[in-house]
């Protein structure tokens, strides 16, 4: 077999969200799980340090999953392209539903728009409690704090009276710590084409 040549399409993924396990695989036997805690002992400056991250979501929306990671990485691709034009990532981040769907390589249907809304709400709703685990690149410290990824998420849209020609647009306000880390390039490059 001859490998197919695929262009590399690098997306810069914020390191904390990868390293702390924010996007976890959900156990099908426990769909109503609303919290997850990860603890470990690490070495920093020659010292053993106990670190932990706790994630809390709502009963209705649950916790971010690997499917949510897919949408987030597509959003990062959109944001990285905007950074090339403006020089940095800034709030608010605006995108169309069609653009996100196109980046994900999915079919355009009514249900996918509702999935995007649930994803945005789940990302905004999930709380991260960092116990010396989330790194703040601008301050060069590990934090003990309660964080979110999205500060706000909203959908606007239009369609004909019969529901055809649907257009949906979204606006995300990222939390300051995430913008700082992305702009400070506290990231891990990931090939989006290989990921898909």
């Amino acid at each position: 077999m001859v490998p197919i040549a695929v262009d590399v399409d690098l997306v810069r993924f914020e390191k904390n969200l990868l390293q702390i396990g924010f996007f976890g695989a959900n156990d099908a036997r426990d769909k109503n799980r609303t919290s997850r805690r990860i603890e470990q002992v690490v070495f920093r400056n020659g010292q053993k340090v106990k670190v932990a991250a706790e994630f809390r979501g709502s009963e209705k929306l649950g916790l971010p999953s690997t499917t949510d990671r897919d949408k987030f990485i597509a959003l990062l691709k959109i944001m990285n392209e905007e950074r090339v034009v403006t020089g940095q990532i800034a709030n608010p981040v605006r995108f169309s539903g069609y653009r996100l769907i196109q980046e994900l390589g999915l079919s355009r249907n009514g249900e996918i728009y509702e999935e995007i809304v649930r994803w945005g709400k789940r990302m905004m709703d999930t709380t991260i409690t960092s116990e010396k685990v989330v790194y703040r690149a601008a301050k060069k410290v590990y934090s003990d704090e309660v964080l979110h990824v999205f500060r706000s998420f909203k959908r606007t849209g239009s369609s004909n009276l019969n529901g055809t020609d649907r257009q949906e647009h979204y606006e995300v306000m990222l939390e300051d710590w995430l913008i700082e880390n992305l702009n400070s390039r506290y990231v891990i490059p990931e090939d989006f084409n290989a990921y898909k």
Side-chain angles (χ1 to χ4, degrees):
M1 294 179 79
V2 176
I4 299 172
V6 177
D7 291 334
V8 174
D9 187 7
L10 290 182
V11 173
R12 288 162 179 80
F13 208 114
E14 200 278 335
K15 284 184 183 181
N16 287 306
L17 294 177
L18 282 176
Q19 292 172 342
I20 65 175
F22 181 74
F23 298 101
N26 289 338
D27 188 344
R29 297 167 294 182
D30 192 10
K31 291 182 180 180
N32 297 326
R33 188 171 184 193
T34 60
S35 68
R36 180 175 65 243
R37 183 173 175 84
I38 299 171
E39 295 179 1
Q40 60 183 340
V41 175
V42 297
F43 282 94
R44 290 192 187 139
N45 301 322
Q47 302 281 333
K48 282 186 180 181
V49 179
K50 181 180 175 184
V51 299
E54 185 172 342
F55 311 102
R56 288 184 312 281
S58 70
E59 287 184 29
K60 181 179 179 182
L61 298 170
L63 294 170
S65 69
T66 53
T67 304
D68 295 318
R69 183 184 192 274
D70 298 346
K71 292 174 187 67
F72 186 69
I73 200 168
L75 176 64
L76 287 171
K77 181 174 178 357
I78 293 167
M79 290 188 310
N80 286 328
E81 289 174 4
E82 182 65 24
R83 170 191 276 164
V84 170
V85 175
T86 63
Q88 67 178 2
I89 294 172
N91 278 326
V93 178
R94 294 184 177 102
F95 58 96
S96 70
Y98 177 74
R99 174 72 194 280
L100 194 71
I101 292 165
Q102 186 179 30
E103 292 299 342
L104 291 168
L106 299 175
S107 306
R108 190 173 173 193
N109 62 51
E111 180 57 29
I112 188 66
Y113 290 101
E114 293 309 312
E115 285 181 33
I116 293 171
V117 171
R118 285 190 298 272
W119 161 74
K121 289 179 179 180
R122 187 169 24 260
M123 292 293 290
M124 191 188 91
D125 188 54
T126 302
T127 302
I128 305 167
T129 302
S130 168
E131 297 173 18
K132 299 180 189 100
V133 72
V134 171
Y135 186 73
R136 304 285 300 259
K139 297 177 182 176
K140 296 182 176 29
V141 297
Y142 289 92
S143 67
D144 278 355
E145 63 184 310
V146 177
L147 308 160
H148 289 89
V149 177
F150 290 179
R151 182 179 312 148
S152 68
F153 175 85
K154 71 179 176 179
R155 166 178 64 173
T156 58
S158 62
S159 68
N160 293 336
L161 292 176
N162 64 2
T164 61
D165 196 29
R166 184 175 181 170
Q167 295 182 3
E168 296 208 354
H169 299 275
Y170 303 90
E171 181 178 289
V172 172
M173 293 289 287
L174 302 172
E175 287 291 353
D176 293 339
W177 74 270
L178 182 58
I179 290 176
E180 288 172 13
N181 281 359
L182 289 169
N183 286 327
S184 297
R185 303 207 189 263
Y186 187 69
V187 295
I188 295 173
E190 186 164 346
D191 183 355
F192 188 54
N193 286 330
Y195 177 80
K196 286 195 294 186

